[in-house]
Amino acid sequence: MENKNAFGMIGLGTMGSNLLQNIADHGFSCAGYDNSRDKVDALNNLGSENIHGFSDLKEFTDSLKSPKVVMMLVPAGEIVDSVINELLAVLDKGDIIIDGGNSHYIDTERRSKELEDKGLHFVGMGVSGGEEGARRGPSMMPGGDEEAYETLKPILEKIAAQVNGEPTVAFMGNRSAGHFVKMVHNGIEYAIMQLISESYEIMKKGLQMNNEEIHAVYRKWNDGRLKSYLLEITTEIFAYRNENEDGLLLDEIRDQAKAKGTGKWTSQAAMDLHLPTPVIDISVSMRDLSSLKDLRVEASKIYDDNSGMVYQKSIEEYIQKLEDAFYFAMVSAYAQGMHLLYQANENFKYDLNLDTIAKIWRGGCIIRSEFLEDIYAAFNKNSKLEHLLLDENVAKEISSTQSGIRAVVSDAALHGISIPAFSSALAYFDNFRNENMPTNLIQAQRDYFGSHTYELKAKEGVFHTKWVMENIKE
Ligand code: 6PG
């Protein structure tokens, strides 16, 4: 082949094929490889002169110009390792491998080291935006080898979504930084999806609103400060009917949510770093609880459903409180995710820039939203900001929505409506702003039964007490 391809893709599922078409649209000649002949044929049948499909790995890599750039979009896990092994036989030192899947950051950490030792450049890159994003402009979070990123940059910046004329891609940081950032993106994604589903529960059960009314609320919210991709698609879901059917498709869908694992990984990483992300954690747990359908059905026969109208007067007035509550909890979800990134950066020496992350999340990705402009502004103003809730502007906004979330959480609790992500956002906040938590008692208890010691307010050092009865005055 005379003119060699600038980019190679392994894995021609919808994401891989769409991303290649996006690259080709921007004038880059590219190659695709898959071990399914049908997928290769489908790619070639697109008829684009810039796209070339291969079912032989050697022919595929031989078609690439040096340094060869090969991106994998294959399911996370062992498949990534086996594809890398195959590639080692056909790539040369100095070539670049990109893992664009949702790989676990610990795997990426290991692969970075292994490939560096072999003289290959490795880029672990989170890609967000789903199939449509891949085709029209995703948000991309590359990390690892910065020298390799410089080679990829001209292509990635062209195919990314653009916000205010700037691409939604940037180098994230060292080693597994890109996949860590994408994992946290997904943790926030789980939290916001859970919050939306809880707002649906309040409107449906607590305010007894019908689908049309709920649709109107989401549409209105998405026109204001809550504007976001997830609310936009929710609005569309509330308008989607099967052909020749009256009801919404939504009402026919089982209430059991699946998960591929990135949310769980976020909570696990947060726990390992001793960094609280309760809104994300509860969102993972609620998907798991939703799967326990049989148990839930059994329990529903024992315990009466006492849920009912949370508010009898003006629904409109209550919807405003709910909007405030949603805003408050959504801010908390983003704040917890950003805090986790802050801590991971400290521990793992990733060299992350939180403002850059917020900047590239403003477009293309699943958690893109109006509020990301505020997050970007906060970290851009103060690159050392440890927690989003300490930003002056965010604090002002959050303060004005407090009464809304207090009303909604307490009303829901009184009326048997489960909104754990809203409640945990509020509980987190009330302790985050609590100068004196009741954890002195936990320290005393630990020392009592296990001699684990405690520290004193007025004196340096660690102390232990024999908490025997004679020293305790009733
Ligand atoms: C994205 C999405 C994408 C994927 C989720 C789904 O950013 O484009 O996050 O990566 O759709 O991983 O995750 P679950 O199957 O765990 O809900």
Side-chain angles (χ1 to χ4, degrees), residues 102 127-130 182 185-186 189-190 259-262 287 366:
N102 273 331
V127 179
S128 181
K182 175 59 171 45
H185 165 284
N186 281 28
E189 173 185 304
Y190 274 52
K260 290 203 196 79
T262 43
R287 287 202 194 184
I366 303 295

